[in-house]
Amino acid sequence: MNPAKRRTVIAGNWKMNFTPAEATAFINEIKPMVAGKDNCDIIFCAPFVSIAAAMEAAKGSNIVIGAENVHYEAKGAYTGEISADMLKAIGVNTVLVGHSERRQYFGETDETVNLRTKAALAAGMRVILCMGEVKEQRLAGITNEVCAMQIKLDLAGISAEDMKNVIIAYEPVWAIGTGLTATPEQAEDACAVIRATIAELYGNEVAEATTIQYGGSMNDANAAELLSKPNVDGGLIGGASLVAKKFTAIVDAAQ
Ligand code: PEP
């Protein structure tokens, strides 16, 4: 991470975990543990039904509650989806877009990820845009090309001004929820490629100011080394974000 140039962001993705009551209990547990640790932004992206409870519990703390997805239309016949205005109406300003589980299990593509990102940005939200290669692509030696292409497709039509509200989460799909972590060097190399691609699209100033997280089995044991890399500006954390002690250790590693 390079705190001189950009903000470190440690974000949890609860996925399909935590009822409202469980979310409240978790936030109440972790709130005092991360109090005053202000060298990074701390975010938990919660299931839609648990957002309000988590926000209520997080009131007055340094914890921000976000959502796990957003639809690109404002309203209408999109059963099961939630719009940016709906999220904004309950005070949500941060949202994950393009998580690999959405791409893998729910048919989301770079095109719809791009539309969702644009809709959230148009509503004034901050987007954590997830991308990364699958195992076959890494084994084929095309990780850099895949990352560059995804960034270009996912950010198509997004302005340099809007990039102020975009965080990139580099998440190699083979490392998500598998216990396999990219080595610090692999994470650094991919994040550097992503930054270089952003520079190609928007220039160096925007690239240097963009927070790029690593995600994929980050935990209390490996966070410090991953976060020590100059192009890794934080983490997006699934499993370890459900355990207050583990998540707090990651926040500590970012201090
Ligand atoms: C994620 O859900 O974005 C993630 C990185 O999960 P995990 O930390 O469990 O690999």
Side-chain angles (χ1 to χ4, degrees):
M1 63 193 139
N2 189 334
K5 293 191 175 151
R6 47 198 173 255
R7 189 82 180 139
T8 301
V9 180
I10 303 295
N13 171 20
W14 285 347
K15 312 194 190 201
M16 198 168 71
N17 294 292
F18 286 172
T19 63
E22 288 165 343
T24 299
F26 178 86
I27 295 295
N28 284 336
E29 181 188 359
I30 201 166
K31 219 168 26 175
M33 296 167 76
V34 298
K37 298 181 179 175
D38 292 330
N39 282 354
C40 63
D41 287 359
I42 300 171
I43 302 168
F44 289 103
C45 294
F48 293 126
V49 296
S50 299
I51 289 174
M55 284 179 86
E56 182 60 31
K59 251 187 203 157
S61 76
N62 55 343
I63 296 171
V64 168
I65 304 300
E68 296 179 14
N69 206 357
V70 61
H71 196 255
Y72 44 86
E73 293 293 349
K75 59 176 155 179
Y78 300 97
T79 304
E81 293 285 342
I82 302 281
S83 73
D85 284 347
M86 289 171 172
L87 291 172
K88 295 269 294 184
I90 60 162
V92 175
N93 289 311
T94 302
V95 64
L96 287 184
V97 174
H99 192 277
S100 71
E101 287 150 16
R102 299 297 317 172
R103 296 178 189 250
Q104 212 175 339
Y105 306 136
F106 302 100
E108 293 193 21
T109 62
D110 287 314
E111 192 186 350
T112 59
V113 167
N114 174 252
L115 290 173
R116 287 174 195 265
T117 302
K118 282 179 177 160
L121 292 171
M125 299 180 83
R126 174 171 58 165
V127 172
I128 301 178
L129 174 53
C130 308
M131 41 73 59
E133 83 285 1
V134 299
K135 186 170 156 202
E136 293 70 26
Q137 293 166 331
R138 177 157 287 270
L139 292 177
I142 56 169
T143 296
N144 292 355
E145 290 80 357
V146 169
C147 287
M149 190 185 68
Q150 266 190 46
I151 281 290
K152 286 179 185 170
L153 294 172
D154 294 350
L155 294 178
I158 288 166
S159 70
E161 183 60 23
D162 274 340
M163 283 301 288
K164 288 183 185 147
N165 282 323
V166 175
I167 293 168
I168 305 292
Y170 165 63
E171 299 209 296
V173 180
W174 49 271
I176 298 178
T178 59
L180 294 174
T181 312
T183 64
E185 292 69 32
Q186 287 172 328
E188 168 62 15
D189 288 351
C191 290
V193 166
I194 293 164
R195 198 175 306 287
T197 309
I198 295 172
E200 210 182 292
L201 296 172
Y202 299 102
N204 274 337
E205 203 177 316
V206 172
E208 285 303 318
T210 302
T211 291
I212 304 177
Q213 302 171 307
Y214 167 78
S217 301
M218 185 184 268
N219 57 39
D220 44 332
N222 59 30
E225 224 192 324
L226 287 158
L227 294 171
S228 72
K229 293 295 175 189
N231 280 293
V232 178
D233 307 315
L236 180 57
I237 297 116
S241 75
L242 301 171
V243 183
K245 219 169 134 190
K246 289 188 182 176
F247 190 85
T248 302
I250 298 172
V251 169
D252 286 340
Q255 294 306 296

